[in-house]
Amino acid sequence: MTDSNKSSHGEWSSRMAFILAATGSAVGLGNIWKFPYITGENGGGAFVIVYLMCVLLIGIPIMIAETMIGRRGKRNPIGTMALLAKESDADPNWHYLGWLGVVAGFLILSYYSVIAGWGLSYILNVFTGSFSGAGGEKVQTIFNDFMASPLQQLFWHTVFMVVTMSVVARGVTEGLERAVQWLMPALFFLLLLLVAYAMSTNSYFKGLNFLFNTDFSKITGQSVLTAMGHAFFTLSLGMGAIMVYGAYLPKDISIARTTVIVAGADTLVALLAGMAIFPIVFENNLQPGSGPGLIFQTLPIAFGNMTGGWFFGILFFVLLVFAALSSSISLIEPAVAWLVETRNMTRQRACVWAGAVTWLLGLGTIFSFNIWSEFKIFDRTVFELLDYLTANLMLPIGGFCIAIFAGWVMKQEHCKKELHLTNPHYFEVWRFLVCYVSPAAVFLVFLNVVGVI
Ligand code: PHE
């Protein structure tokens, strides 16, 4: 069936449409919310370098592999893996890799939606003028009160899930493509504006220094794992999102070139977010390591005190929510595609089911910030556990298997045909990375974390 030319869900209308959608998936809360706070928790510059190395040596080769697998299979990740395993005379159990992705997607979206809900609530906060002229303390109090309220978070989590499901219900080109077209450029512009504000503070260089000054004594095995996990998370790798987007990619488009563009844009957005946030952190004597609330405790100070802050603040949180939305639709798309293809459901119905399950799981994250904050499994709250399990374990394991599959299991002539690289040396470089470098790097990081090396 690999010869049928199109996925049954439709196709991206152009190369640009794919680039936008894949960038939409990659750029999200991971860049603006997560990257700054984990950089803060892991000591700054050295962590950033490890993360950049991971993007380059592990992320990009695996992203090429995942898109390629998706385009060849042209269906949901479970079906794609089953089909390509058969085509390569490999073990049918490879289809479990698709399952791993679908489950990871649910788990990630369950907490992703809660955080996106924080963004929604902050649109209203800025709108009502809660932050105008506010200093660090006031902003902190607003954040803490919000964290203490399960009901408010539940409300916004519900709104976000409903919106996500209604976009996904409209399908690939109608829903997904349209949503991301104007959003990425606008977000980029606003980040530049925030960086300009950060430059106007006295702590700009202190912030930059924190972000780029490499002190490797701060790096531990766990922080390398976090950096690697984040490379997967931020590029949407290892769980079938990029695979399913690849499935909607027309044949003649160059996978390698588009991947490099997407990964480059994603990295740039993360670095800009860091450059905007850390100067504000230091300027207001906040702690870089203050965790998941970091952007919600820093950026409102900027908006509360800069000219036009009300307008830009609303715009920023609106764009943050849109960036989250264009990622969340890719988190749920593998499951929806699977339900539609194999359970004979309509797209709408599949969305309702997938959304309901995710919504329910999200309660665990909401409660972990208040009524369950003392409830710990392996020393972690529900949110922390979900984050660790998905970003640090499931995505790297998924990515590792994708590399092995593309490098060792698939027939090389199939890979060559899909990638159709003009320069044959590029193919060799990619193959070397995906066969040896990327899997070995993931493996070594795991060995180090479990204490073997
Ligand atoms: N890449 C997204 C972000 O950075 C999150 C994501 C992870 C999306 C995995 C899809 C799949 O916010």
Side-chain angles (χ1 to χ4, degrees), residues 138-196:
K138 180 160 177 210
V139 170
Q140 187 96 33
T141 313
I142 292 175
F143 181 74
N144 291 345
D145 289 348
F146 182 53
M147 283 304 98
S149 163
L151 266 186
Q152 282 189 49
Q153 291 185 63
L154 185 62
F155 174 75
W156 294 113
H157 164 55
T158 311
V159 174
F160 186 79
M161 275 315 300
V162 169
V163 176
T164 300
M165 291 349 289
S166 45
V167 176
V168 180
R170 298 173 75 187
V172 178
T173 39
E174 267 299 299
L176 314 195
E177 223 178 280
R178 244 194 234 155
V180 289
Q181 262 169 12
W182 58 273
L183 189 135
M184 288 297 127
L187 183 72
F188 191 73
F189 168 77
L190 217 68
L191 275 175
L192 287 181
L193 191 88
L194 281 170
V195 174

Side-chain angles (χ1 to χ4, degrees), residues 92-125:
N93 283 323
W94 274 104
H95 84 280
Y96 285 112
L97 181 56
W99 274 110
L100 180 77
V102 169
V103 174
F106 273 114
L107 297 180
I108 295 176
L109 186 56
S110 77
Y111 69 82
Y112 205 84
S113 164
V114 174
I115 311 295
W118 297 2
L120 278 172
S121 140
Y122 268 59
I123 299 174
L124 192 68
N125 275 343

Side-chain angles (χ1 to χ4, degrees), residues 283-317:
E283 185 74 8
N284 294 282
N285 294 321
L286 298 166
Q287 289 304 321
S290 49
L294 188 66
I295 65 161
F296 297 94
Q297 293 160 6
T298 49
L299 296 183
I301 306 176
F303 296 129
N305 296 286
M306 70 200 238
T307 341
W310 181 81
F311 175 74
F312 290 126
I314 294 175
L315 196 59
F316 175 81
F317 284 110

